[in-house]
Amino acid sequence: MMDNNMEVDGSAVDIGQLKNGDIDESLYSRQLYVLGHEAMKRMGSSHVLIAGMRGLGVEIAKNIALAGVKSLTLHDPEPAAISDLSSQFFLHPEDVGKPRADVTAPRVTELNAYTPISVHPSKSLTENLDDLRKYQVIVLTGCSLKDQLTISDFAHANGIFIVIADIYGLFGSIFTDFGKQFAIADPTGENPVGGIVADIDAEGLVSALDETRHGLEDGDFVTFSEIQGMTALNDSEPRKITVKGPYTFSIGDVSGFGAYERGGLYTQVKMPKVVDFQPFREQLQKPEILMSDFAKFDRPQQLHIGFQALHAFKDKHGHLPRPHNDADATQVLDLTKGLAGEGEDKVEIDEKLIRELSYQAQGDLSPMAAFFGGLAAQEVLKSVSGKFHPVVQWLYFDSVESLPSSVKRSEELCKPTGSRYDGQIAVFGTEFQEKLGNINQFLVGAGAIGCEMLKNWALIGLAAGPKGKINVADMDQIEKSNLNRQFLFRPKDVGKLKADCAAEAVQAMNPELKGKIVTLRDRVGPETEHIFNEEFWEGLDGVTNALDNVDARQYVDRRCVFFRKPLLDSGTLGTKGNAQVVLPRLTESYSSSQDPPEQSFPQCTLRSFPNKIEHTIAWAKEKFHQYFVGPPETVNLYISQSNYIEQTLKQSGNEIPTLESIRDFLVTKKPSSFDDCIVWARQQFEAEYNNAIQQLLYNFPKDSTTSSGAPFWSGPKRAPDPLKFDANNPAHLNFIKATANLHAFNYGIEGGDQVRRQHYLEVMDNMIIPEFAPSSGIKIQANDNEPDPNAQNGKSSFDDNDELEKLVSSLPPAKSLAGLKLQPVEFEKDDDTNHHIDFITAASNLRAQNYAIAEADRHKTKFIAGKIIPAIATTTALVTGLVVLELFKVIDGKDDIEQYKNGFVNLALPFFGFSEPIASPKGKYLSKEGEVSIDRLWDRFEVEDMTLREFIDHFSGKGLEVMMLSSGVSLLYASFYPPKKLKDRMGLKLSELVETISKKAIPEHQKNVIFEMTVEDQTEEDVEVPYVMLKLRK
C-alpha cells in the first residue's frame, strides 16, 4: 500500500474526460449527489494552492484532491520533523529532513487521477506575489501572521479567495475571505420543496392540498404551474413568500390575476445570496465570528487574541511556547492581556484558558487536523463552486475537555522524546500516550468513516503498545465509487476486501501497528454470535461504529449495552454529520432514539394516480421485481420443490396469477432467442403504457366527477394519456433494450449487448400489436380508503377448480424440467453495464410521460431507486475528528457526563451543535431494606444456574415477588399456573427449564441466558426492573 516508492495508480483513466467537461460518475457518484454536476464542473476548472504540509495542510490537500479540482499545488519547503508524524499521514520516518511538500506531493497524486498535483517552487510565498495570480484559492496553514497579512492583502486586491487555518493542540481556527459581492448559488444544499395547490384566495393566501406541510420558510421564493383561473401565475417570475402557518403561505398582491379555479403546483426556487467579505487585516481588528459551541460563548474572542499572542511570541523567540512551560505561558498571557486592552471592546481574559493554549501550542493532534481539514477543504470547495454558505468569517473550536485527568501532565512529561508521537505528547504527556497504546478497540465497518477512523488511530498510536489490539470487521469488497471518499483504497484495490486493504494501509502509515490489527470478514449480527462471542466482547475496551446501516448500528449498540462497553457512533449524510457517545451506566444508547420511518407511498397512488417522479420510480422498481425477480424465483421453486402447487400456493391465496406467471415463463412466452426477448419487451411496453392507461380512462373518463360533484381528475390525481410507441423517442427504445436484456439474463440467453439499434427496429416492425379494447369487467381502486376490488377477500382460488385445473394441466411436469434453472436478477445500482438502472430510468420516465410529470435523468433515478446515501470526504473527515476527541475522554475514564459532547454538524449552512449526552433512564423499587435505585438501561441481575424454586426465593429475599418469568418466547413461570403444572418445573435448574419448555438446546458457544420477569415490590405494585442474566459455567 503506502510504501516509500508509491506508484501513481489510475493512469489508465481518461484525463481528457475532465477537459471535455464530463464527470466520471462511477468515481464521483456519491459526491455528485451532494454537490451536483454544475458545482463539480466549476470545481473542475479551479486551481488551488495549499501552503503548509503538516497534519492540517495534508488533510486539506487529501480532501480537495478526492473532491476533484483542475489542479492542486502544494507549498512547504521546510524539512519534515519526526514530530510531524503525529498528524501527517503521508510522511514516513525516512522522510525526516526532506522538504515536506516534495515528499508529500507524489502521495497526494495517488488519490485521484483527475487532480494533477504539483509543488510551488519558491522558498517563500511572499518573495514573488505575482506568482500567486494563477490560483483561484490560496489556503494558508502554519504561516506567520506577517505572511498571512501580506498574502491576504494581495489576494483580496486581486480577487483571489483565501482560507487561513491553524491548530495548536486542542485549539483551532479558520478564517475565510471570498471578496466583495461573493455569490452563493445554493446556500443550503437542500432539495427545493414543492407541492399541490388546494386554493389561492383573493389576498394571495396559498393553501397546500390535504393539509400537507409546505416546508417553506419566510423569504423563500416559489413559482407556479398548471394553475387554472389565475393563469398569469403560471411560469411567472419567482414570488417571495411569507409563511402564515404549516399549511399556508402568502404570495402577496394577486389583484388583476383573476379568480383561482382549481389545480396547480408550487415549486421552491433557490435564489442566489450575495455576501461581502472584509479583508483579513480589518477582520483581525473587528472579527465576525461564527459560533461553534454555544456552551463556550465567551471563548472565541479570547482565542482570537490568544492566537495573535502566540504569533507575537514566535516572532520574538523563533519558536512557539514550549510544552507545559510556565515561564513561556506567563509571557503569552501578558501578550494576550496587552492585546485585550487595545480593541474597541475590551475582552475579559480567562488566565487558565490562555495558559492552556500556551502549554499546547506545539501540539499537533490528528483529530484536530481532521476536524479543521474537513472544514477548510469544504470552504475551498464552496469558494470555487458557489455551492453552500461559507463560514463568515472566523470560526474557533476547542476540545479542552479531551485533556486527561487520570494521568499527570508536566513540562517533564510533555517534552519531546524524539518519537513520532511528540506532537501528541506535547498536549497529553507520555503517561497518556502509553495508555493509548495498550487499548483493545473494535471498529465495525471499514468504509468511508472506517478508513478515516483507522487513519486517526494509527496517527495517535492507538493499540501500538505491547498489549494493544484493533479488531476491524467488514465483509464488503471495494468498488470504484468508494475511491472518491475512502482514501486508504487505490484503483488496484477494487474487488479486494475493505478490512484487509484498510489494515494494510494504516500499518504502512504507522509500522508500530504491524501485527496489532485483526481483520474479520464476517457481518456483525445475530448469525455470527459464535464468532463475536462473549469472550470476544469481554476482551474489548471499547467499540466504534463506522456503519451506514441503522439496523447494524442498533445491533452493535445492543451488544455494547449487554456487555457494558463504551460505544462511539457516528454517521454522515452529505454535508450533515453526527457523533454520539454511549457510556455504560451514564448515557442513553444509540437505540434510545430513532429516526422517523422511511417514506412510503400508497399502493393506489403507485398503481393508478402518480403525481411526482418519486411515484413513478417506485412503480418502476416494483415492475423490475415483477418482471425479472419474482417469476424466475417462482419457476425455480416449482421445478425444485415437490408438491409446490398443493403445499405452497394453498397458503398464499394468490394461486391463479402465480400459476399464470409459471405458465408464461415456462410455456407460452418462454423465449428461445434474443429476438423473442425483444418481442416480449415490446409487449410489456404496450401493456403498461397504452393498454393499462386506456383501461384506467375507460373506468374514470377525463370528465368524470366524484359523488360530491367535484372533478375526479383534480388535486393529486393527474389524468394520464396513453403512449404510442415511437422508436425515435430515446426513452421508448431504452425501455425495450433494457427489458429485453434483463429478460434474456433470466434465461441465460447471451448476445444482447451486441445487438444494434437497427435490429431492434426490424424485429419490432415484424410484430403485430393487437388493438386494445377496454373491459367493463375490470375494477380499479379509486383511492386508498376504498377496499381493493381485486383483493381475494380470504377466498382461495382453489374454489375455482375448473380454471385452476386447466392452468395446472398446461404446465410441464416439474420432473421433465430437471436441470433447468432461471436466473433471477439481483438489483445492483453501481454496475452501469447490467441494465438495472437503465430499465428503472426508462420505465419510470415512460410513466412520467403518461402523466405529464417532469422526467428524471439516470443520475437522479439511480439516487432515488438505489436509496443512495450521498457522501463527501470533507464531512467524513470532520466527523471522525470529533469521534476521536471523544475517544480520548473514554480512554481517560471520565465519569462526568458533562465532559462529553454529542456533536451535530451541517457544513452546508454551516452549523455546529454540541450537547452533553442524554443520561440513561433511572428507576427505583422498594426492597425489604428500603428504596433501591436502578439504571433501566445498563443494570441487570446476574444469577448462577439454580432451580426455579431457588430463583423465586432469591428474589423474594430482595423484596421482589416474581409474578411471571420468560426467556425469549417461552413463558417459564406464572404465579397463576396451577400447582400441578408448577410441580415439575420448580425443581429444574433454569438452564434445564429453558431447554425443556423451548424444546431447544442452548448453543454450545452461549455462556448466558437472558430472562425477563414481572415482579411486585414491597408496595405490592408492579414495578419495572432490569432483566436477569443467567451465567452458564461451560
Side-chain angles (χ1 to χ4, degrees):
M1 290 297 292
M2 298 186 181
D3 54 19
N4 305 328
N5 304 308
M6 300 177 107
E7 59 187 270
V8 179
D9 281 313
S11 54
V13 176
D14 179 12
I15 306 287
Q17 279 190 53
L18 207 71
K19 293 173 186 162
N20 299 334
D22 294 334
I23 292 167
D24 184 348
E25 291 190 4
S26 63
L27 175 67
Y28 288 118
S29 69
R30 303 308 189 264
Q31 180 175 295
L32 272 166
Y33 295 122
V34 183
L35 298 174
H37 282 79
E38 285 309 308
M40 278 202 59
K41 283 179 180 174
R42 286 194 289 273
M43 284 159 46
S45 60
S46 303
H47 302 277
V48 179
L49 169 68
I50 303 173
M53 277 297 113
R54 294 180 73 206
L56 176 56
V58 78
E59 188 73 49
I60 299 168
K62 176 256 292 177
N63 292 330
I64 292 173
L66 289 171
V69 290
K70 182 80 169 177
S71 76
L72 179 60
T73 306
L74 313 180
H75 179 264
D76 191 340
E78 293 300 312
I82 189 68
S83 60
D84 294 340
L85 273 64
S86 289
S87 63
Q88 221 284 27
F89 45 82
F90 280 153
L91 289 181
H92 303 300
E94 54 271 27
D95 298 324
V96 172
K98 299 173 187 173
R100 288 196 197 103
D102 290 355
V103 291
T104 302
R107 291 156 194 172
V108 178
T109 300
E110 274 200 319
L111 294 171
N112 188 349
Y114 292 125
T115 304
I117 311 294
S118 60
V119 175
H120 190 84
S122 66
K123 277 286 179 192
S124 165
L125 290 180
T126 54
E127 69 183 25
N128 186 355
L129 291 173
D130 281 337
D131 279 352
L132 304 180
R133 293 182 189 276
K134 59 189 172 192
Y135 304 112
Q136 275 76 47
V137 199
I138 297 171
V139 183
L140 302 179
T141 71
C143 280
S144 68
L145 183 58
K146 182 184 172 187
D147 282 359
Q148 289 176 359
L149 285 162
T150 303
I151 294 166
S152 62
D153 285 347
F154 178 83
H156 191 84
N158 289 278
I160 301 167
F161 306 138
I162 192 143
V163 176
I164 302 173
D166 282 303
I167 54 172
Y168 303 102
L170 290 163
F171 300 88
S173 73
I174 186 170
F175 167 83
T176 63
D177 172 12
F178 299 161
K180 294 281 183 191
Q181 298 286 295
F182 178 75
I184 307 163
D186 179 0
T188 67
E190 299 296 328
N191 290 326
V193 298
I196 301 170
V197 176
D199 183 52
I200 306 176
D201 69 13
E203 307 299 315
L205 185 73
V206 181
S207 302
L209 185 76
D210 292 339
E211 291 206 340
T212 307
R213 290 179 179 271
H214 52 65
L216 296 164
E217 296 178 4
D218 277 345
D220 284 346
F221 286 76
V222 297
T223 56
F224 294 91
S225 59
E226 301 182 19
I227 286 177
Q228 296 180 35
M230 288 185 175
T231 52
L233 278 178
N234 290 332
D235 303 318
S236 64
E237 287 296 306
R239 296 180 70 102
K240 193 173 184 178
I241 68 108
T242 306
V243 172
K244 296 298 183 184
Y247 315 108
T248 55
F249 58 90
S250 171
I251 55 171
D253 183 18
V254 290
S255 56
F257 282 68
Y260 173 81
E261 293 173 13
R262 67 188 178 99
L265 305 171
Y266 66 87
T267 307
Q268 180 190 8
V269 178
K270 293 290 186 83
M271 302 296 278
K273 179 181 177 181
V274 176
V275 176
D276 273 332
F277 285 82
Q278 292 182 330
F280 178 71
R281 193 176 290 275
E282 289 178 28
Q283 277 284 306
L284 205 57
Q285 302 306 315
K286 293 184 69 177
E288 184 175 353
I289 297 174
L290 173 71
M291 288 300 298
S292 64
D293 187 346
F294 287 95
K296 301 175 178 178
F297 198 75
D298 60 341
R299 201 164 286 182
Q301 289 284 357
Q302 296 183 64
L303 294 179
H304 185 70
I305 299 166
F307 278 35
Q308 291 175 60
L310 290 180
H311 281 291
F313 183 97
K314 189 176 181 184
D315 284 346
K316 183 178 178 182
H317 298 282
H319 61 81
L320 286 166
R322 288 163 291 180
H324 230 280
N325 182 283
D326 284 319
D328 289 0
T330 300
Q331 279 194 52
V332 171
L333 182 58
D334 291 343
L335 287 164
T336 304
K337 286 177 176 175
L339 290 163
E342 291 175 1
E344 286 182 29
D345 303 312
K346 185 170 180 187
V347 178
E348 291 296 321
I349 298 297
D350 176 350
E351 292 194 8
K352 191 178 174 187
L353 178 74
I354 300 303
R355 282 190 172 278
E356 196 56 68
L357 174 62
S358 177
Y359 287 164
Q360 298 184 32
Q362 290 192 22
D364 188 11
L365 298 178
S366 162
M368 290 297 290
F371 179 90
F372 279 98
L375 178 57
Q378 191 65 58
E379 293 306 302
V380 170
L381 301 180
K382 290 175 186 179
S383 71
V384 295
S385 69
K387 180 96 172 183
F388 309 139
H389 201 294
V391 168
V392 180
Q393 286 188 251
W394 294 88
L395 178 137
Y396 286 88
F397 169 79
D398 73 82
S399 184
V400 177
E401 309 81 22
S402 296
L403 284 171
S405 54
S406 65
V407 296
K408 295 189 186 73
R409 287 191 309 140
S410 65
E411 186 172 5
E412 181 62 27
L413 290 168
C414 294
K415 71 180 182 183
T417 63
S419 101
R420 63 178 297 131
Y421 307 116
D422 277 355
Q424 187 163 272
I425 288 169
V427 180
F428 296 142
T430 52
E431 289 183 11
F432 192 67
Q433 188 61 49
E434 188 178 331
K435 206 168 187 177
L436 286 171
N438 291 304
I439 292 294
N440 184 346
Q441 193 76 7
F442 183 24
L443 178 66
V444 192
I449 290 176
C451 281
E452 291 286 338
M453 204 69 72
L454 282 169
K455 173 257 294 179
N456 280 292
W457 290 1
L459 294 171
I460 69 173
L462 188 79
K467 297 177 185 171
K469 184 179 178 185
I470 293 172
N471 295 279
V472 185
D474 197 312
M475 61 182 293
D476 287 346
Q477 293 176 321
I478 297 164
E479 298 170 0
K480 187 178 179 184
S481 65
N482 299 150
L483 303 179
N484 170 240
R485 65 202 183 284
Q486 300 178 16
F487 91 107
L488 297 180
F489 306 143
R490 301 290 177 268
K492 66 173 180 287
D493 298 326
V494 171
K496 297 178 185 174
L497 284 163
K498 287 183 178 179
D500 290 348
C501 289
E504 190 184 335
V506 294
Q507 285 172 89
M509 206 175 270
N510 182 355
E512 291 180 20
L513 280 177
K514 283 191 173 149
K516 303 290 183 182
I517 302 180
V518 177
T519 57
L520 301 148
R521 303 167 189 185
D522 300 282
R523 186 193 304 277
V524 183
E527 69 279 11
T528 55
E529 286 182 5
H530 62 291
I531 297 167
F532 303 101
N533 54 24
E534 281 85 346
E535 191 179 337
F536 173 85
W537 285 94
E538 295 291 359
L540 299 174
D541 292 308
V543 182
T544 303
N545 264 350
L547 297 160
D548 60 4
N549 175 314
V550 172
D551 289 341
R553 288 162 83 173
Q554 287 179 336
Y555 173 79
V556 174
D557 175 66
R558 288 195 301 273
R559 298 304 276 173
C560 286
V561 170
F562 181 76
F563 290 105
R564 294 176 179 149
K565 299 296 176 184
L567 169 69
L568 294 166
D569 188 274
S570 58
T572 68
L573 182 71
T575 58
K576 302 183 184 85
N578 74 289
Q580 181 180 355
V581 192
V582 177
L583 298 162
R585 296 192 172 90
L586 278 182
T587 72
E588 67 174 18
S589 75
Y590 172 80
S591 306
S592 300
S593 57
Q594 290 189 346
D595 293 330
E598 235 178 69
Q599 182 186 16
S600 61
F601 303 117
Q603 275 301 311
C604 188
T605 301
L606 296 186
R607 277 199 297 257
S608 307
F609 308 112
N611 58 60
K612 54 185 181 181
I613 197 67
E614 287 81 1
H615 294 156
T616 67
I617 291 171
W619 176 88
K621 270 199 85 174
E622 285 195 358
K623 289 295 164 192
F624 182 92
H625 190 276
Q626 288 173 20
Y627 286 176
F628 314 118
V629 185
E633 286 177 346
T634 305
V635 166
N636 289 343
L637 287 173
Y638 171 74
I639 295 169
S640 62
Q641 286 187 8
S642 58
N643 301 324
Y644 171 77
I645 292 170
E646 293 82 353
Q647 290 184 0
T648 310
L649 290 185
K650 215 161 200 173
Q651 297 160 12
S652 72
N654 204 25
E655 300 87 357
I656 287 178
T658 305
L659 288 172
E660 286 174 341
S661 172
I662 295 172
R663 179 200 61 198
D664 290 348
F665 269 66
L666 280 178
V667 186
T668 54
K669 295 179 181 175
K670 182 184 177 186
S672 57
S673 66
F674 190 76
D675 286 3
D676 292 343
C677 296
I678 297 173
V679 170
W680 185 82
R682 177 67 182 85
Q683 289 167 344
Q684 303 318 304
F685 179 98
E686 201 66 20
E688 302 292 0
Y689 303 110
N690 180 25
N691 303 356
I693 301 300
Q694 284 196 49
Q695 182 67 53
L696 181 63
L697 292 172
Y698 175 82
N699 287 45
F700 305 110
K702 288 193 175 183
D703 58 359
S704 56
T705 56
T706 65
S707 55
S708 62
F712 178 84
W713 295 104
S714 62
K717 289 187 169 74
R718 302 172 68 84
D721 291 297
L723 294 184
K724 183 174 173 57
F725 183 77
D726 176 5
N728 294 315
N729 184 318
H732 293 213
L733 194 58
N734 287 345
F735 175 85
I736 302 299
K737 285 180 179 177
T739 306
N741 273 283
L742 289 169
H743 196 54
F745 176 87
N746 285 151
Y747 289 91
I749 296 171
E750 296 181 357
D753 288 328
Q754 281 75 51
V755 176
R756 298 191 173 186
R757 179 179 186 274
Q758 189 57 39
H759 186 73
Y760 281 97
L761 302 184
E762 288 168 2
V763 172
M764 290 187 286
D765 283 346
N766 289 328
M767 289 177 65
I768 297 171
I769 304 295
E771 284 293 318
F772 177 74
S775 166
S776 57
I778 293 176
K779 306 292 182 210
I780 298 174
Q781 191 178 6
N783 61 63
D784 278 293
N785 299 325
E786 290 183 1
D788 184 351
N790 300 306
Q792 295 282 338
N793 296 324
K795 178 189 166 193
S796 168
S797 300
F798 268 86
D799 298 340
D800 194 350
N801 278 326
D802 287 348
E803 188 176 354
L804 200 68
E805 284 177 16
K806 196 173 170 186
L807 270 170
V808 172
S809 64
S810 70
L811 300 178
K815 287 179 182 173
S816 69
L817 301 166
L820 174 67
K821 189 178 182 185
L822 299 192
Q823 292 175 263
V825 175
E826 288 185 33
F827 178 63
E828 171 48 61
K829 59 187 177 290
D830 284 321
D831 180 353
D832 291 339
T833 65
N834 65 11
H835 304 287
H836 298 188
I837 295 297
D838 296 333
F839 170 82
I840 292 170
T841 304
S844 165
N845 284 339
L846 290 174
R847 191 155 175 84
Q849 289 176 20
N850 280 138
Y851 287 86
I853 296 167
E855 297 174 37
D857 62 15
R858 189 182 190 282
H859 182 69
K860 181 177 179 180
T861 304
K862 176 178 172 178
F863 176 63
I864 297 171
K867 296 181 179 177
I868 287 174
I869 298 172
I872 189 167
T874 50
T875 317
T876 309
L878 186 146
V879 164
T880 51
L882 291 177
V883 171
V884 176
L885 290 171
E886 296 306 305
L887 176 65
F888 289 144
K889 303 174 189 177
V890 173
I891 291 171
D892 185 43
K894 295 184 192 300
D895 56 7
D896 177 4
I897 198 171
E898 293 181 6
Q899 296 296 305
Y900 291 91
K901 299 269 186 183
N902 284 347
F904 176 80
V905 300
N906 185 342
L907 294 184
L909 300 178
F911 170 81
F912 300 84
F914 295 96
S915 61
E916 74 178 54
I918 297 170
S920 53
K922 305 297 190 285
K924 55 191 176 186
Y925 66 86
L926 189 63
S927 74
K928 289 179 178 176
E929 283 77 41
E931 197 170 84
V932 178
S933 295
I934 51 171
D935 188 309
R936 287 191 176 144
L937 179 63
W938 295 97
D939 279 347
R940 63 174 172 244
F941 298 109
E942 294 187 2
V943 298
E944 300 294 332
D945 201 2
M946 57 179 73
T947 65
L948 179 57
R949 164 55 61 204
E950 289 168 340
F951 179 88
I952 292 166
D953 291 345
H954 173 75
F955 281 98
S956 183
K958 292 177 179 286
L960 296 173
E961 301 304 323
V962 180
M963 310 309 290
M964 280 196 286
L965 180 70
S966 62
S967 180
V969 295
S970 302
L971 183 60
L972 308 175
Y973 167 83
S975 58
F976 54 77
Y977 276 176
K980 187 179 177 186
K981 189 169 187 176
L982 290 176
K983 184 182 174 187
D984 295 336
R985 299 189 181 190
M986 284 298 192
L988 290 176
K989 289 266 181 109
L990 293 173
S991 57
E992 297 169 343
L993 182 62
V994 168
E995 293 184 328
T996 303
I997 304 301
S998 68
K999 297 185 172 62
K1000 283 185 200 164
I1002 297 169
E1004 190 59 38
H1005 65 84
Q1006 195 171 313
K1007 294 187 177 176
N1008 55 63
V1009 180
I1010 303 304
F1011 296 93
E1012 301 284 348
M1013 60 180 183
T1014 308
V1015 299
E1016 291 180 356
D1017 67 357
Q1018 294 300 289
T1019 63
E1020 298 188 358
E1021 295 287 331
D1022 281 356
V1023 287
E1024 192 178 332
V1025 293
Y1027 65 90
V1028 181
M1029 185 179 89
L1030 165 64
K1031 293 186 288 185
L1032 300 171
R1033 297 197 178 279
K1034 291 193 176 180

